[in-house]
Amino acid sequence: MTGQAPAPLCTPATITGPGRIVLDALPLPVMVVGRDMAIHYVNASAEPFLGMSRTHLVQMRLTDIIPADHPVFLLIEQVRDHGQTVVEHEVTLEGPRLHREGVTVHGAPMMEEPGSVVLTFHDSSAARVLDRQLTFRSAARSVAGMAAILAHEVKNPLSGIRGAAQLLESSVGEADRELAVLIQDEVNRIRDLVDRMDMFSDKPIERRPVNIHRVLEHVRRLAQQGFAADIRFEEVYDPSLPPVWGNRDQLVQVLLNLVKNAAEALHGPDATPDAQITLSTSYRPGIWVSTVGGKRRVQLPLLVSVRDNGPGIPENIRPHLFEPFLTTKASGSGLGLALAGKIVGDHGGVIEVESRPGQTDVLLHLPVVAEDRDMP
């Protein structure tokens, strides 16, 4: 026995039977790190969380995934020094293939192997996204009520004002005619704003199976023929995806709005010369939402991403992106993203934004056509 170091107790080969089954069934990523920071074990949930297979992970050190000065290493040292569980909240894990914000990391000593530490990662981003969705929907309902009031109390008087201005235009002199035209233009502007707000109403939408790739291709063509003619597009699609259960016209409206926002960010003063928008789709199970009344839960496995390599969204703006009337544009109304959030919510989906300098991703989690769905 002397002169030969014992084999690690936590290698994947030694965790077998019920123990391995239980660890792989856990929804939380679990990792065992040895004294030399070598990764001895990861469970099944750690693979999608870290973006690598366990076969590769167990051949790496933790320093290959995150920088050596990361707070997680201080947590590991504290666990080893005190022999008790240590928790670090709101941790950002960022590396060549990894970017996770707001992660809670638990570190605990592994008594069977002195110096080894068990790490569990709690990613609360999905919960925060769902919480924000409730806020967006509440805000959208407030706008819907305002739109109904405006439609009833404002649009009718506006029609009278516009008609009177048209009569004045034909009967006044040249000097006053310009004022009559100005009145009509302002009336038209207010009417268009009220019409846009009317889109927030809770009218039921007609839904049917929609090929999301045809929608994205249509949006790309529209963008490249107009506001994004000078921007390079990249398409990364999963052709095996099932249809979305949704409304084609409204999905076009949402995605065209998101692509336009990306193009405007790339045209800004801080934009990079190699401007690019990436449209991608993938199948990513894991997000479930309850329907109204909580009678059943619906899975949102279809992920649509609109990515740009622009300067990113200021951190103080991100929590409020989908609030009505919030805009950073000189001529913006602040209703575009609020409407996008409302439409995605009407589809039973979830929209979220991930942004950092040099990259912004807008992610749509959408439902697919279920086998038991009543087809039109």
Side-chain angles (χ1 to χ4, degrees):
M1 296 294 293
T2 59
Q4 182 177 1
L9 299 178
C10 304
T11 58
T14 61
I15 299 182
T16 59
R20 186 181 180 92
I21 293 173
V22 170
L23 286 173
D24 281 343
L26 288 176
L28 299 176
V30 177
M31 174 188 294
V32 177
V33 179
R35 185 178 295 276
D36 57 353
M37 295 301 173
I39 299 173
H40 288 175
Y41 172 78
V42 291
N43 69 342
S45 296
E47 293 182 299
F49 180 80
L50 297 171
M52 286 175 278
S53 69
R54 71 173 76 187
T55 303
H56 288 91
L57 286 167
V58 296
Q59 298 175 3
M60 303 171 68
R61 298 180 185 274
L62 189 56
T63 49
D64 297 328
I65 300 176
I66 55 178
D69 59 350
H70 195 277
V72 168
F73 293 101
L74 178 59
L75 178 146
I76 292 173
E77 291 303 318
Q78 291 175 337
V79 172
R80 289 171 177 166
D81 292 343
H82 301 288
Q84 60 187 20
T85 300
V86 179
V87 182
E88 184 78 22
H89 298 282
E90 293 298 320
V91 175
T92 298
L93 301 176
E94 189 163 11
R97 302 183 183 180
L98 178 66
H99 182 80
R100 299 275 182 176
E101 296 180 356
V103 178
T104 298
V105 183
H106 289 248
M110 188 166 187
M111 301 305 180
E112 295 83 355
E113 185 181 351
S116 292
V117 175
V118 181
L119 300 175
T120 57
F121 303 92
H122 303 250
D123 186 359
S124 58
S125 59
R128 288 197 301 272
V129 168
L130 293 177
D131 287 341
R132 286 198 296 267
Q133 293 302 306
L134 296 177
T135 303
F136 301 157
R137 291 177 187 180
S138 297
R141 283 195 293 270
S142 299
V143 175
M146 187 185 301
I149 294 172
L150 289 174
H152 183 265
E153 301 294 339
V154 176
K155 291 184 75 172
N156 288 338
L158 283 179
S159 298
I161 295 172
R162 188 173 188 278
Q166 288 175 332
L167 291 175
L168 286 173
E169 183 185 1
S170 60
S171 59
V172 297
E174 186 67 29
D176 295 327
R177 190 170 300 159
E178 184 177 346
L179 294 176
V181 173
L182 178 62
I183 293 173
Q184 294 178 59
D185 290 342
E186 287 302 296
V187 167
N188 290 338
R189 184 179 64 82
I190 297 172
R191 185 192 59 195
D192 291 342
L193 179 60
V194 174
D195 288 340
R196 289 190 66 189
M197 293 178 65
D198 190 49
M199 296 184 215
F200 286 91
S201 63
D202 291 326
K203 299 174 184 176
I205 61 173
E206 181 181 350
R207 298 165 70 180
R208 61 181 66 249
V210 177
N211 186 323
I212 194 64
H213 296 132
R214 292 181 181 174
V215 171
L216 287 166
E217 181 65 19
H218 178 69
V219 168
R220 182 191 62 78
R221 287 200 303 267
L222 288 176
Q224 288 193 312
Q225 292 173 4
F227 56 82
D230 58 336
I231 296 175
R232 184 165 63 92
F233 277 75
E234 181 183 13
E235 295 170 294
V236 184
Y237 299 152
D238 180 353
S240 66
L241 292 179
V244 174
W245 184 245
N247 182 287
R248 179 191 178 278
D249 291 342
Q250 291 196 0
L251 290 173
V252 168
Q253 181 180 359
V254 168
L255 288 165
L256 190 62
N257 190 341
L258 298 180
V259 171
K260 185 177 181 182
N261 287 343
E264 290 175 349
L266 293 169
H267 287 146
D270 299 325
T272 56
D274 55 339
Q276 177 175 306
I277 295 175
T278 302
L279 306 176
S280 64
T281 61
S282 61
Y283 194 88
R284 186 181 297 181
I287 292 185
W288 292 76
V289 295
S290 295
T291 57
V292 177
K295 295 182 179 179
R296 66 187 182 95
R297 298 175 71 227
V298 178
Q299 189 178 19
L300 306 176
L302 196 148
L303 179 66
V304 180
S305 171
V306 178
R307 171 181 294 178
D308 68 74
N309 60 345
I313 301 170
E315 189 171 352
N316 62 321
I317 297 293
R318 294 175 203 169
H320 311 287
L321 277 175
F322 295 91
E323 294 179 6
F325 308 112
L326 177 73
T327 180
T328 58
K329 306 172 188 174
S331 59
S333 65
L335 293 177
L337 282 177
L339 181 59
K342 196 265 182 185
I343 291 176
V344 173
D346 287 346
H347 280 73
V350 170
I351 183 171
E352 59 177 319
V353 176
E354 298 176 356
S355 183
R356 58 184 186 271
Q359 181 175 307
T360 296
D361 294 90
V362 183
L363 308 174
L364 308 183
H365 301 269
L366 298 171
V368 298
V369 177
E371 294 181 359
D372 58 350
R373 181 85 68 186
D374 293 332
M375 303 296 286

